[in-house]
Amino acid sequence: MITWMRRNLFRSITDTILTVISGSILGYVIFQVFQFVFITGRWEIIQVNLKILLVGRFPEELMFLVGFSILATCFSIASLASGMNRPIDQPPTLAGKLWGLFQRFGLIIATSAFLIVLAGDMAAVLFGAYVVLSIFAGRLFGIARRNTPLKRLPGWLWVAINATLPLVLIFLTMGQAALEEWGGFLINFYLAVVSIALSFPLGVMLALGRRSTLPLLRWLSTAYIELIRGAPLFVLLLLAGVALEFFIPASIAPDAIFRAVTVFTLFTAAYLAEVIRGGLQSIPKGQAEAGKALGLSTFRITFLITLPQALRNVIPAQIGQFISLFKDTTLAGVALSVFDLLNVGTAITKQDDYLGQGLIYESLAFVGLLFWVGSYVMSRESQRIEKKLGVGIR
Amino acid sequence: MSNEVFKDASKMSGGRESDDAIIVIEGVFKRFKDFEALKNINMQVGRKEVVVVIGPSGSGKSTLIRCINRLEAHDDGHILVDGTALTTDIRNIQEIRKETGMVFQNFNLFPHLTVLTNVAIGPRRVRGLSKSAAEELAMELLTRVKIPEQADKFPAQLSGGQQQRVALARALAMTPKVMLFDEPTSALDPEMINEVLDAMKELAQDGMTMIVVTHEMGFAREVADRVVFMDKGEIVEVGTPSEIFDNPKEERTKKFLSQIL
């Protein structure tokens, strides 16, 4: 330890000076943060408003819908992430499984536990428990499924059902509870999940379109990608707020959530298309030639040979796009007056009890924390998937 | 215009084609921009014949066999494989690709699929076999090239020689009538060349029609029925191995052989 310090921190006079300066700055920052978090911070504003921060003014009696749809979403993510066709050489032990789960979801669990304690509110407790349980159930199910004889078709059916279930439930939820009654983090979560699910296939299509040998398709894809990438997301969101009225009568105009999902999907798809195109370009020509020599059709060469390799090569960049989409959902709050986490977070500081007390720090810190947890989990998952797919392949 | 030529040509060669010619190449030209890669190539390959194509690099030998399964499109002339003319018609192209297997210099195995899936993908997706039938066939072929124990590994976990044998099995899984080899041992370490050549020899003994582009003169001498020497996009000399190697007639052949032997 001391040798390490001497070697890395105090090797020369400049090193020592730099260490002392940066050390004291770091110490000061850490001290300030600790003081804020544990002493001066007035966290009761979060505690009191926790439910509204997480799900908006969602009717108490319909909370089970939220639970179910989150459950379904987690199931589908877990069964997708568990690797459909991966052969298992040595099935992990139960303890190994649990440890793996803890490593991967410990952060979510800790956050949920923290929220539950903070809330002491039955609805929030249920909410947290739903999230934790559903992730565990989804993971265990995903692991168990691979070793059963019912492998391929049921697997895909399961994924298909799971992918549609949350969507159905969202629409059900939105139909039942008036739109302005749901909000908070739930909105950010679903904006992100739905937009990711929709933008991925669109992005793949655009990438293939831009590489197509059919000129019309290529020009259209290129024009679309360049047009969308040339516009700031915020402008597009503002436009979506007003422009749709030109085409659709106001009486049946789609609601703000729909508009936000549309914009996020179209926007992310354009970026994703370029990322995936880069991946496709990294695949050597010999791969397609080998497919041709076997007599595979162009369609099969793309979907069985080049595209899977291309997608694997650009996992980090893809996940990066998804993470930035997830965080950009806060823009919908500002541009389209969606009652999302950030809007709720700023609104609660204007409640009678807290007005003018400068509690925006606490509120924004909490908002930031939730987004950080989400982004960090995504980034970790990306590394894990990459490692898993990369085994013995490169 | 070229279509007209094709129709006539296929009629003509249909009449002329002897029973044992499986590949007929007539008056084929291939240009890459200003560079003429193939100049007026005429050649026939009989059933069960093993033809080895030799020549200096850039002589057009790879281009020639890549034209046979349409990885390159030839510009003039016509190519018939087992009675099917190679035209721009995608159905003809697919038909011919099903009948011809190819082994590449760089193996070109699919790195994201296991060895077994690499071999099974052709029969499964092109011939329409069931998954279990395709995998059974794949296993059989892996046994034939002597690496059944590697079936569940990924290509990158195998040695070069093993990878090339998987590539051979993958091509054979389509039960082709003709096998094309594009410098199959050029990317291999010396100690692995023989395991691939041995597998190819066995294939030749089993009566496969083969066109082999290679620099392995020992293989050519031992296995080839005919040796074709190409230079600058032209066929310079054709003959039995002993005619070409022991008694070459053309100056260019002599010069090439003196350089490599």
Side-chain angles (χ1 to χ4, degrees):
Chain A
M1 178 71 187
I2 288 171
T3 359
W4 180 89
M5 279 174 68
R6 189 167 292 158
R7 197 171 293 157
N8 290 288
L9 299 176
F10 303 105
R11 176 168 270 180
S12 65
I13 297 176
T14 16
D15 275 6
T16 311
I17 295 172
L18 284 174
T19 303
V20 169
I21 293 175
S22 52
S24 24
I25 294 175
L26 194 67
Y28 178 73
V29 170
I30 290 176
F31 173 73
Q32 287 292 324
V33 169
F34 258 74
Q35 203 179 31
F36 173 61
V37 170
F38 293 107
I39 301 165
T40 58
R42 292 180 49 198
W43 298 103
E44 70 271 15
I45 183 174
I46 304 298
Q47 205 170 348
V48 169
N49 291 298
L50 191 61
K51 191 191 155 224
I52 202 173
L53 278 165
L54 291 180
V55 295
R57 276 169 302 180
F58 207 79
E60 202 79 36
E61 66 274 17
L62 289 176
M63 278 299 284
F64 74 95
L65 281 177
V66 178
F68 273 134
S69 52
I70 289 179
L71 186 80
T73 311
C74 292
F75 264 139
S76 36
I77 292 172
S79 40
L80 276 174
S82 59
M84 300 294 300
N85 300 325
R86 191 168 59 106
I88 290 194
D89 296 339
Q90 299 146 335
T93 59
L94 185 67
K97 277 185 203 173
L98 290 175
W99 170 239
L101 288 176
F102 176 75
Q103 275 186 314
R104 295 181 43 211
F105 297 106
L107 188 62
I108 297 184
I109 295 165
T111 314
S112 310
F114 168 68
L115 292 179
I116 292 167
V117 171
L118 200 65
D121 172 328
M122 224 27 228
V125 171
L126 280 178
F127 179 82
Y130 267 133
V131 175
V132 176
L133 277 177
S134 58
I135 289 171
F136 264 96
R139 281 306 301 169
L140 287 173
F141 187 87
I143 289 168
R145 185 175 46 75
R146 287 196 301 264
N147 289 330
T148 57
L150 312 158
K151 257 182 196 163
R152 313 271 159 167
L153 185 68
W156 284 111
L157 271 179
W158 172 246
V159 170
I161 292 168
N162 277 318
T164 45
L165 201 60
L167 289 175
V168 170
L169 281 166
I170 289 163
F171 287 120
L172 207 73
T173 330
M174 290 200 306
Q176 292 229 12
L179 274 171
E180 52 275 21
E181 302 213 347
W182 72 303
F185 193 54
L186 191 62
I187 282 200
N188 298 93
F189 184 71
Y190 275 128
L191 279 181
V193 169
V194 176
S195 305
I196 287 171
L198 294 178
S199 66
F200 180 68
L202 185 60
V204 170
M205 292 304 148
L206 282 169
L208 294 176
R210 193 165 181 176
R211 281 172 61 90
S212 165
T213 45
L214 304 172
L216 186 68
L217 199 60
R218 192 169 62 237
W219 292 334
L220 282 177
S221 307
T222 310
Y224 175 86
I225 291 168
E226 295 306 335
L227 213 66
I228 294 283
R229 292 208 309 164
L233 175 59
F234 195 65
V235 172
L236 290 178
L237 282 167
L238 286 172
L239 259 179
V242 291
L244 285 182
E245 257 83 83
F246 289 131
F247 310 109
I248 305 167
S251 54
I252 58 158
D255 62 78
I257 302 280
F258 181 86
R259 290 167 199 235
V261 167
T262 311
V263 171
F264 284 129
T265 303
L266 297 179
F267 185 81
T268 306
Y271 280 86
L272 214 52
E274 286 299 275
V275 167
I276 294 170
R277 191 168 68 94
L280 284 168
Q281 268 164 356
S282 74
I283 307 302
K285 222 175 88 197
Q287 289 292 308
E289 282 182 353
K292 282 185 196 166
L294 281 176
L296 289 168
S297 62
T298 314
F299 179 84
R300 289 212 158 109
I301 291 174
T302 304
F303 285 94
L304 293 176
I305 295 168
T306 47
L307 192 59
Q309 295 183 55
L311 292 177
R312 188 194 68 194
N313 287 356
V314 294
I315 287 170
Q318 286 180 80
I319 301 281
Q321 278 299 321
F322 293 148
I323 289 176
S324 82
L325 167 64
F326 174 52
K327 291 179 297 183
D328 285 346
T329 53
T330 47
L331 289 177
V334 187
L336 295 170
S337 309
V338 174
F339 204 49
D340 79 322
L341 179 61
L342 182 60
N343 268 355
V344 177
T346 45
I348 56 171
T349 60
K350 291 166 193 146
Q351 288 165 333
D352 289 346
D353 291 351
Y354 306 110
L355 190 64
Q357 296 175 27
L359 292 185
I360 189 75
Y361 298 112
E362 282 80 354
S363 179
L364 288 183
F366 181 75
V367 169
L369 176 75
L370 282 193
F371 277 106
W372 177 76
V373 169
S375 306
Y376 185 70
V377 167
M378 279 161 102
S379 143
R380 283 282 304 273
E381 280 303 288
S382 124
Q383 283 167 23
R384 197 186 59 85
I385 294 172
E386 216 182 329
K387 210 186 276 172
K388 197 164 78 179
L389 291 178
V391 173
I393 288 179
R394 271 165 231 282
Chain B
M1 183 224 142
S2 62
N3 271 340
E4 301 278 308
V5 172
F6 270 126
K7 264 182 221 157
D8 293 349
S10 56
K11 261 186 235 148
M12 270 161 50
S13 38
R16 185 167 31 175
E17 190 186 347
S18 55
D19 275 344
D20 56 344
I22 192 165
I23 293 177
V24 180
I25 299 170
E26 281 175 352
V28 164
F29 283 80
K30 170 72 190 172
R31 292 174 200 92
F32 295 105
K33 298 211 171 113
D34 295 336
F35 176 69
E36 279 212 311
L38 296 177
K39 295 173 208 162
N40 192 22
I41 300 290
N42 291 286
M43 181 177 159
Q44 292 207 355
V45 178
R47 282 176 207 279
K48 303 199 173 182
E49 197 182 6
V50 177
V51 174
V52 170
V53 184
I54 58 172
S57 57
S59 60
K61 31 190 212 308
S62 286
T63 311
L64 175 64
I65 68 166
R66 285 164 63 85
C67 280
I68 294 173
N69 66 352
R70 197 73 174 190
L71 290 183
E72 307 286 356
H74 56 280
D75 295 316
D76 290 311
H78 34 271
I79 299 176
L80 274 96
V81 179
D82 202 21
T84 311
L86 258 183
T87 61
T88 46
D89 188 339
I90 188 72
R91 280 167 304 184
N92 281 10
I93 296 174
Q94 290 300 81
E95 198 51 46
I96 285 172
R97 282 177 180 165
K98 278 187 209 170
E99 305 295 342
T100 54
M102 188 172 215
V103 173
F104 298 86
Q105 181 176 358
N106 298 317
F107 329 137
N108 289 345
L109 292 176
F110 306 130
H112 61 304
L113 303 175
T114 62
V115 165
L116 189 69
T117 323
N118 261 284
V119 181
I121 193 169
R124 173 114 196 268
R125 304 292 180 176
V126 182
R127 293 243 184 261
L129 263 62
S130 76
K131 186 167 184 277
S132 55
E135 287 186 348
E136 205 174 301
L137 174 66
M139 211 55 213
E140 229 167 76
L141 287 162
L142 286 175
T143 314
R144 192 164 153 194
V145 295
K146 303 189 178 72
I147 36 174
E149 72 283 357
Q150 312 286 355
D152 291 326
K153 290 194 182 166
F154 285 98
Q157 293 166 298
L158 270 53
S159 74
Q162 290 173 326
Q163 289 192 47
Q164 194 60 300
R165 284 185 282 156
V166 174
L168 180 60
R170 178 177 69 176
L172 290 176
M174 292 295 295
T175 53
K177 293 183 179 151
V178 182
M179 283 291 294
L180 308 171
F181 293 86
D182 188 1
E183 306 202 19
T185 55
S186 299
L188 294 176
D189 291 336
E191 74 270 23
M192 292 169 184
I193 289 177
N194 277 329
E195 61 188 67
V196 173
L197 290 182
D198 287 345
M200 288 166 64
K201 278 176 206 165
E202 265 176 45
L203 193 62
Q205 279 156 15
D206 292 347
M208 175 63 75
T209 311
M210 294 161 63
I211 304 182
V212 185
V213 172
T214 188
H215 295 292
E216 293 297 324
M217 297 304 151
F219 175 84
R221 197 183 265 276
E222 189 183 338
V223 182
D225 296 314
R226 269 194 301 161
V227 176
V228 173
F229 173 69
M230 287 182 73
D231 189 24
K232 295 183 178 132
E234 295 167 318
I235 292 181
V236 177
E237 193 169 353
V238 183
T240 62
S242 58
E243 281 169 359
I244 296 286
F245 291 118
D246 302 333
N247 202 2
K249 295 190 178 62
E250 300 287 331
E251 268 320 300
R252 282 196 272 178
T253 320
K254 284 178 195 161
K255 194 170 162 236
F256 173 72
L257 289 173
S258 71
Q259 277 164 348
I260 58 160
L261 290 176

